[in-house]
Amino acid sequence: MGTVWICGKYRKSSMSSEKKSRVERPLTELLKISEKGCFEMSKFVQDVYKRLNEDRKLMKEKSDNSFFTIADALVQVMVRTMFPSDKFEEFCGEESSSNINIEKAPYSVDGMELPTDLSESFAKTFAEIKKLAKLVDAEAYKELGVFVDPIDGTKEFCTGLGSQCSICIGFTRDKLPVAGIVFRPIPLEEGGKLTYMAGCKQEGYTNGVLDYSDGKAQESLLTSNGGITKFTEALIEELGFVRYKAGGCGNKMLLLLEGKGTAYIQDRGVSRWDTCAAQAVIEATGGVLSKLTTVQSNRSIESYQYKISDVNMDLNPEAYLTKYNAKDKEMGRIKPAPKVTGENVLPYSNVCGLFALKVDIPLPLT
């Protein structure tokens, strides 16, 4: 998805470490609540998706030419409601909407108004999400952060490729992903099964439904549906792989688990909310998601840092500004592109690239 960003900081817990240990509960409880929530939200997401072709007023184009829909904003609202502000340390979600009406129908976001039937769908879904919020322990998770991409793959969601989008909910502790779920809310075919994976490595937990059909026999590199860089083109040739086009970072993680891709290697693009849940899931299943720069430089696996911040905590002095990672979109259009700095790059852009494998095995990168 694009890089318009917002983060709402929850109040910090004042609990002592002793009290935290007394009230600690499994992270898998959060994942089970997340799973139920995603199933509930998928009904509303599908309703909006079916309507987009005939009602383009439910979507907008952002300043970086990426897409934004009313579903993005309202799913983020529902996730934030499901995991209430007084029960977590911080929340970071992609979407920024200054004018949201969820008090009464017709519900609206930044001038986009839900039609009557979609308002009814949202109200029904939101009521179920509020019930799930009551299941979250009041004390156990106050040291955790929540990173959310409500509709990862919004471009695909808006262009008839909705089965490639996903709801991504990741939980962090000490700046690292510790649990997450990647959930495709739209099936490949009408009435088909919904596919997802939830995982928590430290608790040895994975749960989900995947689609193992159409697995690729050839070694393949997962890429975006759009253009790719010369680096990626050269890498595909060097490895002798074929290119597998797909939208959404979360979706690509599921494709890895489904055996439809060998690796996902990206030298540009995504943000922390795209990778947080995906990293937790892929690590729980025995794989890796790392900065590409450390894999290239010394063959080491190193995570991005997931923490609310005004500056990017994982800078790459060799990376260049783009319209997706620049704070000032006009700077991102300058040619030749300037290098990124702490002052000009968005705080949650993954400017060190991305390296992901289903299993922790080496690739001959040069």
Side-chain angles (χ1 to χ4, degrees), residues 69 91 145 151 156 165 179 219 225 227 250 264 270 299:
T69 74
F91 182 101
I151 304 288
E156 285 69 28
C165 74
E219 299 280 14
N225 285 313
Y264 176 34
V270 299
R299 301 296 191 271

Side-chain angles (χ1 to χ4, degrees), residues 101-333:
N101 167 37
I102 56 172
E103 298 304 317
K104 61 180 181 179
Y107 306 108
S108 62
V109 176
D110 292 346
M112 296 182 289
E113 189 173 292
L114 282 178
T116 300
D117 58 332
L118 292 184
S119 284
E120 292 173 355
S121 175
F122 172 72
K124 182 177 179 181
T125 302
F126 200 23
E128 295 302 314
I129 293 299
K130 290 176 180 177
K131 293 177 185 177
L132 290 173
K134 296 178 182 179
L135 302 179
V136 179
D137 189 278
E139 300 295 336
Y141 305 113
K142 288 188 174 181
E143 83 282 12
L144 297 185
V146 187
F147 276 69
V148 175
D149 193 337
I151 304 288
D152 177 35
T154 304
K155 180 178 180 180
E156 285 69 28
F157 185 70
C158 294
T159 55
L161 299 173
S163 62
Q164 297 183 24
C165 74
S166 60
I167 299 171
C168 299
I169 306 173
F171 300 96
T172 66
R173 178 189 288 128
D174 298 328
K175 303 179 184 178
L176 297 175
V178 291
I181 183 170
V182 177
F183 190 103
R184 296 181 180 124
I186 300 171
L188 274 170
E189 299 178 352
E190 183 76 25
K193 65 182 179 182
L194 298 179
T195 52
Y196 69 97
M197 182 59 69
C200 175
K201 181 178 180 179
Q202 71 182 62
E203 294 176 11
Y205 176 84
T206 57
N207 185 59
V209 175
L210 295 175
D211 178 8
Y212 295 104
S213 65
D214 191 35
K216 295 293 180 182
Q218 293 177 282
E219 299 280 14
S220 59
L221 187 71
L222 294 165
T223 75
S224 68
N225 285 313
I228 57 176
T229 63
K230 292 181 179 179
F231 165 84
T232 307
E233 290 177 347
L235 183 62
I236 291 172
E237 183 176 353
E238 177 186 348
L239 295 174
F241 284 8
V242 297
R243 179 183 176 188
Y244 189 117
K245 298 180 182 181
C249 179
N251 176 53
K252 292 185 185 71
M253 293 305 112
L254 296 185
L255 289 172
L256 284 179
L257 297 180
E258 292 168 337
K260 299 175 183 177
T262 306
Y264 176 34
I265 300 173
Q266 177 80 294
D267 61 330
R268 65 176 188 187
V270 299
S271 302
R272 302 292 199 280
W273 42 72
D274 297 305
T275 54
C276 184
Q279 181 174 335
V281 167
I282 203 81
E283 288 180 350
T285 57
V288 296
L289 192 156
S290 169
K291 298 176 185 175
L292 176 60
T293 51
T294 61
V295 175
Q296 284 184 300
S297 63
N298 56 26
R299 301 296 191 271
S300 67
I301 301 300
E302 183 176 308
S303 174
Y304 281 98
Q305 300 177 79
Y306 295 83
K307 186 71 178 174
I308 295 295
S309 175
D310 294 328
V311 297
N312 198 306
M313 301 176 71
D314 295 282
L315 283 176
N316 174 11
E318 299 305 313
Y320 291 92
L321 275 187
T322 71
K323 63 181 180 180
Y324 301 108
N325 65 28
K327 288 182 178 179
D328 181 343
K329 298 307 175 187
E330 292 307 312
M331 283 194 66
R333 293 180 170 88

